[in-house]
């Protein structure tokens, strides 16, 4: 049986992010030369996932090992990509698609994170002890508390392993605290230096906003030195981690964390989502390229969507189809009609929290 490898990305409005994802997909292919490899995106970029699958089939692949090109198992990794893969497999008799797990909390990635943080420290001449430095780790933010908690674990391991005086966690959207409130809190703790590290795979709208907010905070607090660490990107250890996820499928060790999954267990605050159908909600934006405008006025909407998705990123969970709405999320689920396509957003457990999740970090504070 001829085997192919498929890397499934989210997609982004940012052309630079798309190029970075392509570079990672190419790096994964180089690490697995025994298999033909391809890639595709859920939304906002081409090729879409079906295109990559088509190419692998055309090359003779009878079994495809698919991995999410994302850090954590949230909605895109648990709902959207499996829905696309299952649909495709059902439409092509004789084809087998096996799906791998997310990168999760991985020691290889922690080593990359440490290198990125150390590089930020070395880029400046001023010497500040780590005991007088606060590390701010910023995650994508999802509607899944298990995925969000992974950022806290990453932050703790970096804090304890590198010896920083303090560590804080913030998120770029969907959950709380957002980056602005997180930094507002951090500056009150009295540290001489704050290092802001986006725990993202690639650049994009969200990473650039994180850096912009950091710059604004630095202007407001010249007494504190702010450093911006680079995200993970195509570091060799990142590529090694992806290759390992593919090999896990063949070894039968493909274990996604389901013990804290809000669809299986009654996670505090998310009890209403146990047993919810898992399906993709990205059909209406599938294949839209980065050159297309995305103020995105869909028929049936009475508000604008700011599609600040990063593949990354890591990583949204649930069916919120996160668009970083400028409007408030109300206590009841609300429906969005995309022409003939309609879906309902499940409400977050604390929609009126002062630091998120219905809020959005501004470009400027």
């Amino acid at each position: 049986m001829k085997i192919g490898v498929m890397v499934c990305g989210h997609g982004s409005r940012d052309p630079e992010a798309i190029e970075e994802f392509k570079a990672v997909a190419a790096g994964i292919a180089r690490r697995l030369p025994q298999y033909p490899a391809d890639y595709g995106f859920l939304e906002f970029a081409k090729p879409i996932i079906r295109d990559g699958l088509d190419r692998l089939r055309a090359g003779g692949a009878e079994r495809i090992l698919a991995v999410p090109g994302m850090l954590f198992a949230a909605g895109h990794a648990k709902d959207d990509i499996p829905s696309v893969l299952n649909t495709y497999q059902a439409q092509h008799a004789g084809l087998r698609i096996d799906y791998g797990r997310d990168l999760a909390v991985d020691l290889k990635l922690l080593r990359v994170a440490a290198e990125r943080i150390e590089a930020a420290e070395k880029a400046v001449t001023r010497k500040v002890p780590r005991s007088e430095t606060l590390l701010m780790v910023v995650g994508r933010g999802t509607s899944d508390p298990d995925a969000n908690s992974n950022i806290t674990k990453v932050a703790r391991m970096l804090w304890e392993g590198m010896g920083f005086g303090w560590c804080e966690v913030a998120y770029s959207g969907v959950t709380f605290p957002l980056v602005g409130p997180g930094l507002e809190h951090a500056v009150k703790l009295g540290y001489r230096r704050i290092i802001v590290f986006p725990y993202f795979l690639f650049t994009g709208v969200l990473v650039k906003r994180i850096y912009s907010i950091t710059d604004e905070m630095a202007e407001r607090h010249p007494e504190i030195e702010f450093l911006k660490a680079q995200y993970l990107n195509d570091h060799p250890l990142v590529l090694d981690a992806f290759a390992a996820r593919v090999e896990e499928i063949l070894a039968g060790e493909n274990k996604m964390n389901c013990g804290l999954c809000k669809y299986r267990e009654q996670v505090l605050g998310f009890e209403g989502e146990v047993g919810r159908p898992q399906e993709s909600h990205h059909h209406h934006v599938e294949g839209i390229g980065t050159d297309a405008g995305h103020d995105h006025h869909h028929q049936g909407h009475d508000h604008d969507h700011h599609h600040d998705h990063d593949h990354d990123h890591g990583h949204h969970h649930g069916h919120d189809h996160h668009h970083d709405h400028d409007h408030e999320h109300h206590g009841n689920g609300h429906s969005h009609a995309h022409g003939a396509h309609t879906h309902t957003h499940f409400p977050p457990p604390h929609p009126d929290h002062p630091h998120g999740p219905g809020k959005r970090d501004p470009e400027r504070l």
Side-chain angles (χ1 to χ4, degrees):
M1 181 177 287
K2 185 174 181 179
I3 294 176
V5 171
M6 181 70 194
V7 185
C8 305
H10 178 270
S12 173
R13 288 187 294 139
D14 190 317
E16 188 179 353
I18 297 302
E19 291 306 311
E20 289 182 355
F21 181 90
K22 291 179 180 179
V24 165
I28 296 170
R30 288 193 297 271
R31 275 163 170 69
L32 300 164
Q34 66 272 38
Y35 308 121
D38 217 307
Y39 68 92
F41 302 100
L42 275 173
E43 60 181 354
F44 302 134
K46 295 179 180 179
I48 62 175
I49 292 174
R50 288 199 307 271
D51 294 335
L53 295 171
D54 284 341
R55 287 192 292 267
L56 290 173
R57 277 186 59 250
E62 301 167 279
R63 181 184 182 188
I64 295 175
L65 312 179
V67 291
M70 302 169 183
L71 285 170
F72 301 123
H76 292 319
K78 287 185 176 181
D79 296 345
D80 301 303
I81 294 175
S83 176
V84 173
L85 298 178
N86 288 337
T87 299
Y88 190 91
Q89 180 176 252
Q91 293 169 345
H92 298 87
L95 178 67
R96 173 179 173 181
I97 301 178
D98 294 309
Y99 184 50
R101 69 185 177 102
D102 57 306
L103 291 177
V105 180
D106 189 293
L107 293 178
K108 296 183 186 70
L109 302 189
L110 288 172
R111 287 170 59 189
V112 179
E115 286 188 25
R116 300 305 193 211
I117 295 166
E118 289 166 353
E121 293 174 313
K122 293 175 181 176
V124 295
T125 56
R126 184 184 181 197
K127 303 300 180 184
V128 176
R130 284 186 179 164
S131 61
E132 299 179 35
T133 300
L134 183 147
L135 175 66
M136 168 74 79
V137 179
V138 182
R140 167 61 186 94
T142 79
S143 66
D144 187 293
D146 185 29
N148 293 334
S149 71
N150 284 328
I151 293 295
T152 301
K153 185 168 185 176
V154 166
R156 177 63 201 183
M157 295 181 80
L158 291 172
W159 181 6
E160 190 165 338
M162 301 183 75
F164 287 102
W166 202 261
C167 184
E168 293 286 318
V169 171
Y171 301 90
S172 65
V174 184
T175 191
F176 54 86
L178 298 177
V179 180
L183 283 175
E184 291 278 8
H185 174 73
V187 299
K188 298 175 182 179
L189 300 181
Y191 285 85
R192 294 170 57 191
R193 170 182 283 174
I194 295 177
I195 301 177
V196 177
F197 170 51
Y199 196 73
F200 281 62
L201 280 173
F202 311 105
T203 189
V205 173
L206 302 180
V207 169
K208 292 173 181 178
R209 184 186 298 160
I210 291 164
Y211 288 154
S212 175
I213 294 169
T214 302
D215 289 339
E216 171 66 16
M217 187 63 71
E219 292 178 9
R220 291 171 51 187
H221 295 274
E223 74 280 6
I224 302 173
E225 182 180 34
F226 286 81
L227 303 183
K228 295 176 289 186
Q230 187 189 8
Y231 46 92
L232 301 174
N233 205 1
D234 59 348
H235 189 285
L237 289 175
V238 172
L239 303 179
D240 288 346
F242 272 120
R245 294 299 176 268
V246 174
E247 292 164 352
E248 285 176 356
I249 302 174
L250 294 174
E253 298 176 355
N254 180 30
K255 301 173 183 176
M256 188 177 289
N257 177 20
C258 293
L260 296 176
C261 177
K262 66 176 183 176
Y263 300 134
R264 292 174 178 264
E265 304 292 340
Q266 293 194 5
V267 176
L268 183 66
F270 295 83
E271 293 86 351
E273 300 197 49
V274 175
R276 291 189 66 214
Q278 292 173 258
E279 57 185 337
S280 176
H281 295 303
H282 290 72
H283 310 300
H284 66 295
V285 285
E286 196 173 46
I288 294 176
T290 54
D291 56 342
H294 288 295
D295 264 346
H296 226 88
H297 297 277
H298 291 296
Q299 181 181 354
H301 279 243
D302 58 0
H303 55 270
D304 292 342
H305 276 213
H306 296 269
H307 290 283
D308 291 340
H309 294 294
D310 281 17
H311 47 283
D312 59 134
H313 15 323
H315 330 335
H316 311 0
H317 195 175
H319 299 278
D320 294 41
H321 197 191
H322 307 302
H323 298 280
D324 281 1
H325 302 298
D326 278 346
H327 63 275
E328 296 287 340
H329 287 275
H330 300 290
N332 296 319
H334 56 284
S335 296
H336 288 177
H338 303 282
H341 174 80
T342 303
H343 61 270
T344 300
H345 289 195
F346 202 87
H350 304 288
D352 298 321
H353 192 285
H355 304 313
K359 308 296 188 298
R360 177 185 175 191
D361 265 320
E363 296 293 338
R364 306 280 289 181
L365 290 176

